[in-house]
Amino acid sequence: MAERDHPVGHCGMMRCSRCDAELSAWEVRRAEEIGVLPCWCSGIPSGTARTLANVAYAELCHKGLIQPVKVHDVIRFVGQKYTGNPQASINVALSQDNRFCWGGRALYGLARHGLIPGTRSLAEAAYAVLLAAPRELHVEEVDFVLEQLNYRFNSESLVHHLRGYTSNKWGLFFQSDRWNRVRINTGRDARHHYNAKIHVCPTNAAFDSWIERELTPKVERSLNNRTLRLADLTGSKIHIAGDRIEFL
């Protein structure tokens, strides 16, 4: 098996042996279904149908692509390699294939670009971050972690979701307090209920593994990074974890 580390189809993530990119469980599952290796950083495997989704996936696997891209860029990438009209169905291809990860309005990438598989809205991505967080987070900390994961969004929209001003498709419930902290139920049943709706991973066991091995370390690194960067702002009036600052 060319891919390494974890058994195919049983973990939240694995890595490509050629480009070392993170591969979501959905990328691995799809590769199993069609009998090829996951990660198409070397191009579409021989004999694989050149559907719009497959062509787009191969393009987003490119080693030089390090962050999510706009839909119009995906159209540009596939223009010379797809025989149909990508503009007519690109949104359907990207939104309905779990190999692709949503990163903001008209923004898509893969798990290797930091995004959370399965999520298709800001509320869904924020909920996953809180599931993986080591403690309750200030709204501003959720904001920072999502940006570190390469999500691009309007901060006010995030505040409205976390404070319950804006409803979401799956009725995800966020609890906030007067100190601007937000929390959710992070128990096993709550995690599995979330995965059943969002489909981050094909199985709940894979989701639990992915939370522990992949997302939690990323969230903790982001929070530690934020703390260190705030500490470097000598002479500032920033005193609490909830203070917001733009990091360039």
Side-chain angles (χ1 to χ4, degrees):
M1 183 181 296
E3 311 304 328
R4 61 181 169 83
D5 282 345
H6 307 301
V8 171
H10 295 285
C11 73
M13 285 280 180
M14 60 189 302
R15 286 187 177 273
C16 172
S17 61
R18 293 160 291 182
C19 68
D20 199 43
E22 286 185 355
L23 304 175
S24 73
W26 288 112
E27 293 176 74
V28 176
R29 170 69 66 88
R30 180 58 178 154
E32 285 182 320
E33 291 172 350
I34 59 181
V36 299
L37 289 174
C39 189
W40 297 355
C41 56
S42 299
I44 298 178
S46 176
T48 302
R50 300 184 71 86
T51 64
L52 179 55
N54 283 345
V55 175
Y57 176 68
E59 291 301 306
L60 291 181
C61 282
H62 193 283
K63 296 177 185 178
L65 191 64
I66 60 174
Q67 60 187 13
V69 295
K70 288 290 188 179
V71 170
H72 63 76
D73 287 318
V74 181
I75 293 173
R76 180 167 55 84
F77 294 160
V78 305
Q80 301 300 315
K81 301 178 182 180
Y82 177 67
T83 57
N85 176 14
Q87 289 185 331
S89 52
I90 189 65
N91 286 312
V92 173
L94 295 175
S95 64
Q96 296 189 1
D97 189 321
N98 281 330
R99 290 177 296 179
F100 302 108
C101 304
W102 177 90
R105 186 175 182 181
L107 192 69
Y108 283 90
L110 303 175
R112 69 195 65 195
H113 303 131
L115 304 176
I116 298 166
T119 62
R120 291 294 183 263
S121 74
L122 194 52
E124 294 168 16
Y127 201 92
V129 166
L130 289 164
L131 281 174
R135 54 176 170 77
E136 60 187 27
L137 299 182
H138 288 269
V139 170
E140 293 80 8
E141 291 176 307
V142 180
D143 182 308
F144 183 78
V145 171
L146 286 172
E147 286 198 351
Q148 294 296 293
L149 294 176
N150 279 332
Y151 285 89
R152 297 297 176 259
F153 53 90
N154 183 301
S155 292
E156 285 301 313
S157 295
L158 177 63
V159 171
H160 290 167
H161 280 293
L162 296 181
R163 291 181 177 170
Y165 304 152
T166 302
S167 60
N168 57 77
K169 178 181 179 181
W170 299 112
L172 300 173
F173 180 67
F174 301 90
Q175 295 176 284
S176 60
D177 60 26
R178 62 190 181 91
W179 292 283
N180 212 29
R181 296 175 302 194
V182 60
R183 66 178 67 85
I184 60 171
N185 182 354
T186 59
R188 178 177 177 273
D189 289 346
R191 292 197 310 272
H192 293 177
H193 182 69
Y194 172 82
N195 188 54
K197 294 180 179 297
I198 309 304
H199 305 300
V200 177
C201 296
T203 67
N204 288 335
F207 180 62
D208 287 339
S209 175
W210 173 78
I211 284 281
E212 178 183 355
R213 298 181 182 183
E214 302 294 336
L215 188 58
T216 292
K218 289 180 180 178
V219 171
E220 290 180 342
R221 283 196 299 270
S222 292
L223 293 172
N224 290 337
N225 179 32
R226 184 176 186 275
T227 299
L228 291 173
R229 294 170 78 171
L230 286 171
D232 286 339
L233 297 174
T234 57
S236 71
K237 295 182 179 180
I238 295 173
H239 301 293
I240 62 172
D243 285 339
R244 188 174 196 281
I245 186 167
E246 297 288 343
F247 293 111
L248 301 177

